[in-house]
Amino acid sequence: MHRPWDAKCDPPPFTGAHKRGDLWGYDLAVADNGYDVIVIGTSQGGRLLPPDLAKAGKRVALVEREHLGGVCVNTGCTPTKTMVASARLAYQARRGAEYGVRTGPVSVDLAAVRERKRAMVSGARENYASRLTPEGLDLIEGEARFTGPKTVDIALRDGGTRQISAPVIVVDTGTSPRPLTIDGARDIPVLDSTSIMELDTLPQHLIILGGGYIGLEFGQMFRRFGSEVTIVQTGPRLLKMEDDDVSDEVTAILRDEGITILTSATPFRVEEADPGHVRLTVRTPDGEERIEGSHLLAAIGRVPNTKVLAPEAAGIRLSDRGYIEVDEYLETSVPGTYAMGDVKGGPAFTHLSYDDYRVLRANLLGPEKRSTRDRIVPYTMFIDPQLGRVGMSEQQAREQNRPVHIAKLPMNGVIRAIETGETRGFMKAVIDAGSGEILGAVVLGAEGGEIMTIIQTAMLGKLSATAMSNLIVTHPLLAEGLNTLFMTVDGQEFAAT
Ligand SMILES: Cc1cc2nc3c(=O)[nH]c(=O)nc-3n(C[C@H](O)[C@H](O)[C@H](O)COP(=O)(O)OP(=O)(O)OC[C@H]3O[C@@H](n4cnc5c(N)ncnc54)[C@H](O)[C@@H]3O)c2cc1C
């Protein structure tokens, strides 16, 4: 572990590319060597680290090429969850009669949904900007590119370039949507997770490539807004990381809302059908199939933002897929250079990027040293009902031949869920057969993420399944279902202590 505050960087070698006295050249780079740290990317993870470092007396350069706040605030969590809320309201309004509430026909004004989303995003951006005040912290607006181990060139947003260097560099540049490259994709408009949120009129038929969480959240959202939706998944089932019963239940829930789901369907060509329409051709076990729609969304994964950044110019080792490799302290192969957030690969969530910040803050400012080893990483998929997941899945336990008990409770066994009319889904926990330790859980149900977090807390506190079955929970909360869940394991009363 390096804390190389003692030695500021040597000036970058004079390559002849910059003339002395040139404003954007070598002299300026020498002047800029007053920086102790360069942080590249202003995400959730990087939100707090630069101000913390500056408050600790370090001179920090924070570089951002686009919007303050990164993906989460601008094109990820905040805008999607804002729009998911609109979609849920439309869904609930249509269910009014079930609750004895009269409503007229429900329709969605997508331009107004977008305005609400835009307002939320700009509020979050302003909040971010308001934190960048500590003395010693410089925000540099431009795109960074490594030119040497501790030196980056910045293509400034207002034109020109600037070279800066520092002994410590933190890369937090995240990922971008993976572009669709199948035959014809260049010739027609293809939406990604960013551009779809800027539509102001409803797609008549939205075809979504990808059955991961981004594809499913948008699929349900647009179905509830009023679009016809088809989700195309290459693999045999949605959400390949989840247990079969989870994937089956999610598929049933989405189909029940009128979404068409095609599995084992590999897209290989796309073309314009009638003007303004797309025709997608997929290969299935039964032969080729054509799907026509008005819009096409590619939700086929993300790629690391390392192409322009060129970490290899600094000697930073990358994985085969272009992610930055780090050790358990988030240090790259170049001492004193770190990576945080999605750009280092692995689970890609805001809360993980935020925890990376905690780890780096400890390791750069002390006093203790922190590692990323053995972190419990929960996640929630914001379809409705939510899917909250933490720890070991049933399938993972079986793959490891670990003796486990499975506790499972359908949401229609939870009184609160019955009262509120939200009985879709189930809770499931994986329990060590010997000790009764809770190893993992999935809650596919109303407020599934919140309920899962209670189980996560129990896991951290090493509470046994029996302790959870005896917990006194306010009646009638959804969390009350945890008593019942942990009471009956493998269909029998659970006896371990
Ligand atoms: C549609 C969608 C929905 C999501 N929903 C959720 C959710 O509900 N919950 C959740 O936990 N996660 C969600 N995520 C994931 C979450 O947004 C990311 O995991 C999180 O933003 C990762 O943060 P990060 O630290 O990797 O940096 P990012 O947020 O990716 O930010 C990186 C920043 O670096 C900048 N940058 C890149 N290259 C350069 C360069 N060369 N020079 C200067 N600046 C550069 C970028 O402009 C960007 O601002 C969602 C993502 C998407 C796309």
Side-chain angles (χ1 to χ4, degrees):
M1 259 297 297
H2 293 253
R3 278 196 191 130
W5 304 118
D6 40 345
K8 297 239 196 295
C9 245
D10 289 335
F14 181 57
T15 59
H18 302 119
K19 294 196 193 83
R20 286 184 179 278
D22 171 3
L23 182 62
W24 304 114
Y26 187 60
D27 279 352
L28 187 68
V30 173
D32 278 345
N33 277 350
Y35 286 124
D36 297 303
V37 195
I38 300 169
V39 178
I40 308 171
T42 62
S43 80
Q44 286 295 294
R47 177 172 64 118
L48 299 170
L49 189 65
D52 282 359
L53 291 166
K55 282 181 208 154
K58 309 299 174 200
R59 270 209 67 200
V60 184
L62 175 59
V63 190
E64 173 56 57
R65 70 178 179 189
E66 215 175 344
H67 300 298
L68 290 181
V71 170
C72 180
V73 161
N74 293 288
T75 55
C77 330
T78 301
T80 51
K81 271 75 242 183
T82 302
M83 292 175 72
V84 161
S86 297
R88 180 169 155 80
L89 199 60
Y91 170 74
Q92 287 295 77
R94 288 191 192 101
R95 293 182 67 205
E98 286 178 43
Y99 296 79
V101 176
R102 277 193 215 105
T103 55
V106 177
S107 64
V108 170
D109 175 353
L110 198 58
V113 170
R114 185 181 67 176
E115 274 323 297
R116 180 172 180 273
K117 183 266 304 186
R118 284 180 176 171
M120 215 66 78
V121 168
S122 63
R125 256 183 229 164
E126 279 162 28
N127 178 37
Y128 186 102
S130 70
R131 294 170 182 270
L132 302 181
T133 49
E135 203 175 318
L137 172 56
D138 292 346
L139 174 66
I140 304 175
E141 294 180 294
E143 188 166 52
R145 178 185 190 85
F146 279 98
T147 51
K150 292 298 165 94
T151 307
V152 293
D153 270 4
I154 302 165
L156 296 167
R157 192 179 295 171
D158 295 340
T161 56
R162 179 172 171 185
Q163 187 175 71
I164 58 174
S165 48
V168 173
I169 298 188
V170 178
V171 180
D172 186 17
T173 51
T175 59
S176 298
R178 178 185 297 282
L180 186 67
T181 53
I182 60 172
D183 194 17
R186 284 217 185 117
D187 306 325
I188 57 148
V190 179
L191 296 164
D192 63 20
S193 61
T194 302
S195 53
I196 192 168
M197 290 190 283
E198 283 301 310
L199 294 178
D200 58 5
T201 48
L202 211 54
Q204 175 259 323
H205 181 181
L206 175 65
I207 302 171
I208 299 179
L209 304 184
Y213 82 90
I214 292 180
L216 300 195
E217 284 183 13
F218 279 120
Q220 190 182 44
M221 180 196 297
F222 276 86
R223 179 67 195 139
R224 289 177 168 194
F225 286 161
S227 299
E228 190 183 334
V229 172
T230 301
I231 297 176
V232 178
Q233 166 77 331
T234 308
R237 61 191 182 89
L238 300 180
L239 300 174
K240 59 182 179 198
M241 305 298 287
E242 308 298 337
D243 286 339
D244 283 356
D245 54 353
V246 175
S247 160
D248 289 349
E249 183 79 3
V250 168
T251 304
I253 287 169
L254 296 178
R255 283 196 170 135
D256 187 49
E257 292 196 22
I259 295 172
T260 303
I261 296 172
L262 288 183
T263 53
S264 302
T266 307
F268 70 96
R269 190 173 53 241
V270 65
E271 63 211 312
E272 188 171 21
D274 302 329
H277 276 68
V278 290
R279 182 184 300 122
L280 177 76
T281 311
V282 297
R283 249 181 231 112
T284 74
D286 302 324
E288 284 184 16
E289 204 172 309
R290 291 196 177 135
I291 310 149
E292 288 193 12
S294 59
H295 293 69
L296 181 67
L297 165 67
I300 51 174
R302 305 199 40 103
V303 291
N305 290 329
T306 48
K307 213 168 177 176
V308 176
L309 185 69
E312 60 280 8
I316 297 169
R317 209 165 37 236
L318 302 180
S319 72
D320 297 347
R321 295 168 61 214
Y323 289 93
I324 293 181
E325 291 187 358
V326 292
D327 65 14
E328 63 182 288
Y329 305 107
L330 299 177
E331 194 163 26
T332 70
S333 56
V334 175
T337 298
Y338 304 85
M340 67 194 300
D342 296 357
V343 74
K344 67 185 196 311
F349 301 110
T350 290
H351 41 281
L352 207 55
S353 177
Y354 181 75
D355 195 61
D356 287 352
Y357 146 72
R358 294 189 187 112
V359 170
L360 277 184
R361 180 186 57 188
N363 295 343
L364 293 175
L365 295 175
E368 88 272 46
K369 185 169 162 176
R370 280 178 72 156
S371 151
T372 58
R373 196 181 287 199
D374 298 331
R375 290 196 286 200
I376 295 184
V377 181
Y379 56 88
T380 298
M381 192 174 81
F382 290 85
I383 54 163
D384 181 26
Q386 289 171 13
L387 170 62
R389 249 299 299 281
V390 62
M392 196 180 280
S393 67
E394 181 177 355
Q395 187 166 327
Q396 284 165 340
R398 307 272 180 234
E399 281 162 8
Q400 292 173 21
N401 287 324
R402 186 148 182 174
V404 292
H405 292 302
I406 300 299
K408 194 167 172 182
L409 175 72
M411 289 304 287
N412 65 15
V414 179
I415 292 168
R416 173 86 180 159
I418 298 168
E419 289 163 351
T420 54
E422 309 233 34
T423 52
R424 300 187 299 176
F426 58 82
M427 303 182 184
K428 181 166 87 164
V430 180
I431 300 160
D432 185 89
S435 65
E437 184 186 346
I438 304 165
L439 304 174
V442 52
V443 183
L444 174 60
E447 302 298 348
E450 311 284 350
I451 307 296
M452 172 275 292
T453 305
I454 298 174
I455 303 178
Q456 179 195 355
T457 311
M459 287 166 66
L460 283 167
K462 302 269 182 233
L463 289 183
S464 69
T466 306
M468 290 302 283
S469 71
N470 288 326
L471 197 71
I472 301 177
V473 183
T474 304
H475 172 77
L477 284 181
L478 289 165
E480 210 181 16
L482 294 175
N483 283 163
T484 322
L485 173 71
F486 286 106
M487 230 165 0
T488 324
V489 171
D490 296 339
Q492 296 176 4
E493 194 150 324
F494 190 51
T497 51

